[in-house]
Amino acid sequence: VKIAVIGAGIVGVTTAHELAAQGHQVVVFERHAAVASETSFANAGVMAPGYVTPWAAPGMAWKVFSHLLSPHTPVRFRGGAPFTQLPWLWRWLRASRTKVYHANRSAMCSLAQYSTEVRHALDQRLNLDYELRKGYMVLLRKPSESAKAQATLPWLHEMGVSAKWLDGSQARVLEPGLNDATALHGALHLPQDEVGNCRQYAHLLRAEAHRLGAVFRFHHSVTSVVPGQQPALQWEHGAEGNPTESGGESFDAVVLCAGAQAKALLQPMRVALPLTSVWGYSLTAPLRLEEQYPDLGPRAALMDERYKVAISRIGMRVRVAGSAEMGGAPNHMNAAALRTLYKVLHDWFPAAALPQQAVHWKGARPMLPDGPPVVGATSAAGIWANLGHGSSGWALSCGSARMLADLIAQRPTAVDATAFSPLRFH
Ligand SMILES: Cc1cc2nc3c(=O)[nH]c(=O)nc-3n(C[C@H](O)[C@H](O)[C@H](O)COP(=O)(O)OP(=O)(O)OC[C@H]3O[C@@H](n4cnc5c(N)ncnc54)[C@H](O)[C@@H]3O)c2cc1C
């Protein structure tokens, strides 16, 4: 079967690889010069199935609005939001009901666990090196945060997630670089969870997909898609806004993996998908190497629960990532969001990094209001979607790619695909 994949972020690359491995003729269209150039470029790299959860959660609305005036609020609205986002926020609020939240959280956790399985099998076969480290620790500053985290332990264990609550001093043994001047009441430790370089993985897997016959057309921007038995697409080649060539082509199926930008292609086909961009930021800096202090930096991945900021060890660098911003200009870096990242880094690992060499980045989480991504056939003939992975696209990518390939081949899926149906928004 001849299949077009639109977008070569982590979701497009894993999808192209799966489809090529299953014997399809795959052509990938990517508007940039390389894979993982947008949201998959510098994310936190965390793959923690027990923490792959919907942002639509009970009590979340109150939490968001009560922190809005704090200088280090995890959520920020800009450029007319939240008013421009009211329909999306209304759906998000409705999906925050306890029963809906639990169903979505379980579905997302199962897909993330499956994703880990698929990725580990690929690792064994392909021997890919993407700076993988084991261990995820959720830092809990206050007794109330600890109590909430401890209450989730039975659910985590029921889902088969290995997790343990540690007091502050036990946590500091596992992460000896943690600053003892910052109060730490406890931590949830998930020893099987992982952190790795998403962008590097995308580059390595692209090479493997290419070896299996997938063709990657870079600098190709898809301008429209026409559904049908033989869906067709139009593309422009060259620098954005200044194309030097254009053309069209038909396929047996088209898979949209265009992340937050998929909406522009879906709207003319009347496919209803409430996809929005929730911006996040990261800073990446080289670790300071001091022979007499080998443990200045993080050993694996951590999450500051109060500020919702992740601190990750990526090779010989430390990456700090977080903030959720709705609205605003894509290229504008919000100084307040970056200040929060530096504050969290300074609180926990004050001497670990070389901040004068830090690189700042902003990316758009492709977010659906209820949580699970959409994986499967859309209402438009011949058009498939693997979209809307929000804050967990790296953790979910290998599993959702395999799920999509199984659905196209009309094979049973390893994880129930119902919760991920693109038709659920109709
Ligand atoms: C600060 C931050 C931290 C994060 N941390 C984590 C984490 O720790 N763990 C985790 O699992 N996830 C994390 N995420 C989320 C994760 O990065 C995303 O879910 C994931 O990268 C989405 O991948 P994608 O392939 O769908 O989108 P993208 O990576 O954005 O890829 C979409 C691609 O489609 C291309 N494209 C779009 N439209 C067209 C078109 N018309 N024609 C041709 N090409 C097109 C784009 O150029 C782009 O390359 C984080 C995100 C942010 C912002």
Side-chain angles (χ1 to χ4, degrees):
V1 177
K2 190 180 170 198
I3 303 179
V5 173
I6 304 176
I10 190 62
V11 174
V13 171
T14 49
T15 302
H17 171 262
E18 270 308 321
L19 292 170
Q22 296 192 11
H24 299 294
Q25 202 183 326
V26 179
V27 182
V28 184
F29 294 85
E30 168 54 52
R31 59 164 57 135
H32 291 296
V35 301
S37 297
E38 295 230 349
T39 315
S40 309
F41 188 81
N43 60 29
V46 176
M47 293 163 286
Y51 269 76
V52 170
T53 80
W55 284 11
M60 193 61 105
W62 167 243
K63 212 184 269 175
V64 168
F65 288 102
S66 63
H67 284 86
L68 273 185
L69 296 179
S70 133
H72 295 299
T73 173
V75 180
R76 292 180 172 89
F77 294 107
R78 294 180 73 80
F83 304 106
T84 50
Q85 300 280 344
L86 284 178
W88 190 94
L89 287 168
W90 172 243
R91 284 178 186 265
W92 169 73
L93 209 59
R94 284 184 56 76
S96 303
R97 287 169 295 167
T98 307
K99 207 168 147 197
V100 183
Y101 164 75
H102 280 300
N104 285 335
R105 184 172 186 185
S106 301
M108 290 172 81
C109 179
S110 301
L111 185 56
Q113 287 171 318
Y114 177 56
S115 199
T116 305
E117 254 175 61
V118 173
R119 184 172 44 81
H120 284 178
L122 284 173
D123 286 355
Q124 279 215 325
R125 200 157 54 75
L126 304 174
N127 206 12
L128 304 178
D129 173 10
Y130 50 102
E131 303 180 307
L132 193 66
R133 281 174 178 258
K134 256 195 168 25
Y136 182 54
M137 191 182 276
V138 182
L139 301 171
L140 308 158
R141 293 178 183 243
K142 291 191 301 192
S144 57
E145 290 170 10
S146 272
K148 265 194 202 141
Q150 278 176 297
T152 65
L153 277 173
W155 180 83
L156 289 171
H157 294 153
E158 203 182 298
M159 291 299 295
V161 175
S162 165
K164 197 175 166 196
W165 187 81
L166 308 174
D167 65 26
S169 50
Q170 288 167 322
R172 290 178 197 280
V173 172
L174 293 180
E175 282 288 356
L178 281 172
N179 182 8
D180 48 21
T182 300
L184 176 62
H185 183 264
L188 211 61
H189 185 228
L190 298 102
Q192 299 304 320
D193 291 351
E194 293 165 310
V195 56
N197 187 330
C198 173
R199 175 171 175 256
Q200 189 164 317
Y201 186 84
H203 277 271
L204 295 169
L205 203 66
R206 181 202 87 93
E208 178 60 15
H210 177 69
R211 197 187 64 76
L212 294 170
V215 174
F216 285 77
R217 296 201 192 149
F218 293 110
H219 289 304
H220 277 72
S221 201
V222 174
T223 51
S224 68
V225 183
V226 181
Q229 260 210 324
Q230 292 279 292
L233 55 77
Q234 294 291 319
W235 51 259
E236 286 179 346
H237 175 58
E240 242 185 290
N242 192 18
T244 50
E245 200 188 343
S246 62
E249 214 165 320
S250 61
F251 292 86
D252 298 309
V254 170
V255 186
L256 287 173
C257 299
Q261 295 144 14
K263 226 173 160 172
L265 297 172
L266 286 165
Q267 262 166 353
M269 293 189 272
R270 297 183 186 283
V271 174
L273 211 60
L275 198 59
T276 199
S277 295
V278 178
W279 300 96
Y281 293 79
S282 73
L283 73 87
T284 307
L287 277 168
R288 191 188 300 275
L289 299 174
E290 299 264 354
E291 231 173 274
Q292 63 276 44
Y293 301 112
D295 283 317
L296 282 178
R299 287 182 169 175
L302 305 101
M303 163 66 72
D304 185 314
E305 182 64 9
R306 181 184 306 173
Y307 297 104
K308 302 280 183 207
V309 168
I311 308 172
S312 307
R313 172 79 175 254
I314 309 268
M316 292 313 286
R317 284 149 292 151
V318 59
R319 178 166 297 159
V320 190
S323 193
E325 192 173 280
M326 284 187 120
N331 294 327
H332 177 260
M333 299 296 264
N334 184 347
L338 291 170
R339 271 197 299 276
T340 302
L341 301 186
Y342 278 103
K343 174 199 160 38
V344 172
L345 175 62
H346 184 79
D347 279 0
W348 294 114
F349 296 101
L354 300 172
Q356 63 278 24
Q357 291 178 38
V359 178
H360 299 158
W361 171 82
K362 178 179 181 183
R365 299 179 189 87
M367 195 71 89
L368 290 163
D370 54 352
V374 290
V375 184
T378 70
S379 54
I383 313 297
W384 299 73
N386 194 358
L387 288 170
H389 296 69
S391 57
S392 309
W394 169 217
L396 292 168
S397 54
C398 292
S400 45
R402 177 74 55 87
M403 180 184 271
L404 186 97
D406 286 342
L407 289 169
I408 289 182
Q410 297 185 331
R411 264 194 302 269
T413 53
V415 172
D416 185 357
T418 319
F420 306 99
S421 167
L423 306 181
R424 68 181 191 268
F425 295 106
H426 280 259

